[in-house]
């Protein structure tokens, strides 16, 4: 079992390059099933979640090739021999359900294990299913799996999502891209990753309009072709490095970012008094202004362009060392405070009341053994370890590898004291 050992670090300095977005590449890889031709995806991050998606594509009969050095990934799904997403792979990653929309559109049938609960919440898929039903699919649930069938093909339909679910929006757009007629999705998610998926589909010959707004219109086409596409930079990775820089009183340059995607995190960081995050020619500069102390601020996670739930844990690490009280309210997932117990072990003063965490800033954190309870919780503990007295040992780091590529290497290059050890 591997773990990270992190020790109090000097202020981070230097330049870091952000990789392609995890949450953009996963639906885009699923969308490659919509064509028989080869699709080439550039800047695909070498993450364990991407490897799981690759294994699922292979299990269905698609051929994949990757060039890790140059960061491209190609998929040719000329022959899909199976319609069943294997349970062993699906159970590793909830995003495996993103295969359902594309496979249903391509084959007219798909059998997918019902995603179970995961650490951060129960994460049901009824909104995805509502969309598939509106497109004419029949749904049967038996023995823990869902079978979707559309024997005579999917037909365009109108769907209003009760909540702007990212995954449901993506799944419905993919299914609708080969449906007969026009599909309109209202109250859909507006995350940048939805826009990236729409750009990819349109490059394949689809007709998707309005991505990035609350209403998307998809005019089904008869077939889609192969294409080449570069994945957008990962805004969550960029936000994590910004917080790391500010926490260590550092000054770093962050390359390969889309500045607009970072506005919710930049606004909150700049509110803390000590952070100055600015746009630069090559990306962004995130630094700490020494003369002030960290001011406690309140954050509330919301769908984009609100504060991202995927940066809530990392931002909380910073707030633990603030002066005064901060309130962090989680509105997207029902159980995303698992890092709180671990941060408390490091000396943080945090109380949970319903969906809010109330943080009283402390003067210092102290290193100890902790566990990454989920992906972003793991990142938060690493950031805390960079400021804590003594050594912090973080276990269960496979969670971190799901979403951060070369995390410790990138941090080390900036001067962080972190190593990966095999227990
Ligand atoms: C995606 C991201 C994840 C991010 C989340 C919110 C990927 C691979 N993952 O997850 O990193 O934290 O968006 O920004 O892109 N819900 C339902 N019913 C449904 C679908 C969702 O109740 O049918 C609920 C979920 O339980 C959750 C909330 O809606 O509480 C948000 O989920 P959703 O936007 O679907 O997130 P994901 O696509 O799973």
């Amino acid at each position: 079992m591997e773990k990270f050992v992190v020790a109090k670090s000097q202020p981070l300095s230097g330049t870091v390059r952000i990789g392609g977005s995890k949450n953009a590449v996963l639906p885009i890889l699923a969308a490659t099933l919509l064509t028989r031709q080869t699709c080439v995806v550039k800047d695909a991050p070498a993450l364990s979640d991407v490897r799981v998606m690759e294994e699922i594509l292979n299990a269905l009969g698609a051929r994949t090739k990757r060039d890790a050095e140059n960061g491209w990934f190609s998929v040719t799904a000329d022959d899909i021999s199976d319609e069943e997403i294997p349970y062993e792979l699906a159970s590793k990653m909830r995003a495996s359900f993103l295969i359902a929309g594309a496979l249903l559109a391509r084959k007219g049938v798909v059998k997918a294990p019902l995603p179970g609960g995961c650490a951060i919440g129960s994460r049901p898929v009824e909104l995805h299913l509502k969309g598939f039903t509106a497109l004419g699919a029949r749904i049967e649930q038996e023995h823990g799996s869902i079978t979707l069938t559309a024997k005579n093909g999917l037909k365009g339909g109108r769907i209003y999502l009760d909540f702007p679910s990212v995954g449901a929006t993506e799944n419905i757009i993919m299914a609708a891209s080969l449906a007969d007629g026009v599909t309109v999705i209202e109250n859909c998610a507006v995350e940048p990753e939805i826009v990236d998926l729409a750009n990819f589909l349109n490059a394949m010959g689809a007709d998707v309009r309005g991505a990035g707004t609350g209403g998307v219109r998809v005019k089904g086409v008869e077939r889609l072709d192969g294409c080449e596409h570069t994945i957008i930079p990962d805004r969550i990775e960029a936000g994590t490095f910004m917080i790391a820089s500010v926490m260590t009183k550092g000054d770093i340059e962050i390359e390969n970012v889309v500045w607009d995607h970072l506005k919710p995190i930049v606004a909150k960081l700049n509110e803390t008094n000590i952070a100055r995050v600015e746009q630069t020619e090559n990306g962004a500069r995130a630094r700490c202004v020494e003369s002030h102390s960290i001011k406690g601020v309140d954050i509330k996670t919301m769908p984009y362009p609100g504060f991202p739930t995927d940066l809530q844990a990392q931002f909380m690490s910073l707030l633990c060392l603030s002066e005064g009280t901060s309130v962090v309210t989680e509105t997207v997932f029902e159980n995303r405070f698992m890092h709180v117990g671990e941060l408390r072990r490091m000396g943080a003063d945090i109380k949970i009341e319903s969906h809010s965490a109330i943080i009283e800033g402390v003067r210092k954190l102290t290193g100890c053994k902790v566990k990454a309870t989920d992906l972003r919780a793991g990142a938060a503990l690493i950031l805390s370890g960079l400021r804590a007295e003594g050594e912090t040992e973080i276990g269960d780091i496979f969670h971190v590898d799901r979403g951060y590529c070369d995390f410790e290497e990138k941090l080390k290059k900036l001067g962080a004291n972190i190593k990966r050890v095999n227990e």
Side-chain angles (χ1 to χ4, degrees):
M1 285 282 269
E2 289 183 323
K3 66 182 177 187
F4 284 131
V5 178
V6 184
K8 188 162 180 160
S9 297
Q10 62 194 69
L12 298 189
S13 68
T15 303
V16 63
R17 186 186 184 275
I18 300 303
S21 159
K22 167 179 94 73
N23 289 351
V25 75
L26 294 174
I28 284 174
L29 289 179
T32 62
L33 292 180
L34 291 163
T35 177
R36 291 173 175 276
Q37 295 181 7
T38 301
C39 296
V40 177
V41 177
K42 294 180 180 163
D43 225 354
L47 299 167
S48 59
D49 272 9
V50 174
R51 274 192 292 279
V52 173
M53 189 55 101
E54 182 179 14
E55 284 176 45
I56 295 175
L57 294 172
N58 293 150
L60 297 171
R63 287 172 289 131
T64 53
K65 259 197 251 164
R66 57 161 84 212
D67 177 339
E69 210 169 303
N70 298 307
W72 63 256
F73 192 108
S74 82
V75 184
T76 311
D78 47 353
D79 181 29
I80 299 180
S81 46
D82 209 330
E83 298 92 37
E84 183 168 352
I85 305 171
Y87 173 77
E88 296 68 37
L89 294 171
S91 60
K92 284 191 189 167
M93 182 178 77
R94 184 187 143 84
S96 60
F97 200 69
L98 289 171
I99 293 277
L103 201 51
L104 177 64
R106 173 87 182 264
K107 298 287 277 185
V109 56
V110 48
K111 191 169 174 196
L114 199 55
C118 71
I120 61 173
S122 63
R123 303 179 90 175
V125 289
E126 86 286 356
L127 297 171
H128 304 234
L129 300 181
K130 183 176 174 181
F132 297 145
T133 311
L135 298 179
R138 244 189 59 206
I139 296 171
E140 275 170 289
Q141 189 189 326
E142 231 177 23
H143 306 298
S145 283
I146 293 179
T147 304
L148 307 167
T149 35
K151 287 257 162 57
N152 302 318
L154 295 166
K155 306 258 179 303
R158 227 183 160 83
I159 301 117
Y160 182 92
L161 294 179
D162 306 327
F163 178 88
S165 154
V166 173
T169 304
E170 292 166 343
N171 240 338
I172 301 166
I173 292 176
M174 286 189 263
S177 64
L178 286 178
D180 180 15
V182 174
T183 297
V184 175
I185 316 166
E186 289 175 305
N187 195 34
C188 60
V190 301
E191 267 68 1
E193 294 75 21
I194 309 276
V195 179
D196 208 31
L197 173 65
N199 287 339
F200 177 75
L201 290 168
N202 288 341
M204 293 171 88
D207 186 348
V208 183
R209 296 184 194 187
T213 74
V216 168
R217 182 178 176 279
V218 186
K219 190 166 175 220
V221 294
E222 257 175 37
R223 56 163 248 204
L224 293 169
D225 298 322
C227 70
E228 270 190 26
H229 178 82
T230 303
I231 302 291
I232 53 168
D234 196 306
R235 62 195 166 99
I236 304 303
E237 186 192 5
T240 304
F241 276 101
M242 285 177 176
I243 300 170
S245 176
V246 174
M247 273 190 84
T248 58
K249 302 187 187 299
D251 183 351
I252 66 168
E253 287 280 340
I254 304 174
E255 289 181 354
N256 193 35
V257 299
V258 177
W259 178 252
D260 269 2
H261 296 171
L262 297 167
K263 283 187 174 162
I265 174 72
V266 170
K268 276 295 161 186
L269 274 173
N270 285 341
E271 259 182 48
T272 60
N273 259 358
I274 60 156
R276 288 288 173 276
V277 186
E278 296 147 340
Q279 187 173 18
T280 61
E281 211 174 298
N282 295 326
R285 179 180 179 193
R287 67 197 156 111
C288 178
V289 187
E290 280 281 357
S291 54
H292 303 90
S293 53
I294 307 174
K295 183 172 142 244
V297 297
D298 297 343
I299 60 169
K300 191 181 209 177
T301 65
M302 301 281 274
Y304 189 82
F307 190 92
T309 174
D310 287 349
L311 282 172
Q312 180 255 103
Q314 302 90 311
F315 205 85
M316 191 184 290
S317 291
L318 173 69
L319 295 178
C320 288
L321 292 163
S322 67
E323 264 187 15
T325 310
S326 311
V327 180
V328 171
T329 306
E330 174 60 56
T331 74
V332 179
F333 291 107
E334 75 260 35
N335 187 25
R336 208 171 195 180
F337 283 140
M338 306 238 298
H339 43 285
V340 166
E342 304 299 298
L343 288 172
R344 276 197 201 125
R345 301 194 64 240
M346 296 180 74
D349 180 353
I350 310 172
K351 273 200 296 277
I352 295 181
E353 279 182 18
S354 178
H355 294 298
S356 295
I358 297 141
I359 302 144
E360 296 294 343
V362 293
R363 291 181 73 84
K364 64 170 190 185
L365 296 172
T366 52
C368 62
K369 285 190 180 180
V370 285
K371 269 199 174 139
T373 47
D374 66 65
L375 160 56
R376 307 303 170 184
L381 294 169
I382 293 172
L383 300 195
S384 295
L386 296 176
R387 268 297 296 274
E389 303 287 332
E391 269 190 358
T392 305
E393 280 185 31
I394 302 152
D396 286 355
I397 61 170
F398 60 90
H399 284 298
V400 179
D401 294 332
R402 292 185 49 201
Y404 291 93
C405 191
D406 296 333
F407 197 28
E408 79 272 20
E409 294 305 324
K410 288 182 177 181
L411 281 169
K412 250 195 255 172
K413 225 180 114 207
L414 297 172
N417 205 331
I418 176 169
K419 57 182 187 234
R420 184 186 286 258
V421 293
N422 222 323
E423 277 180 306

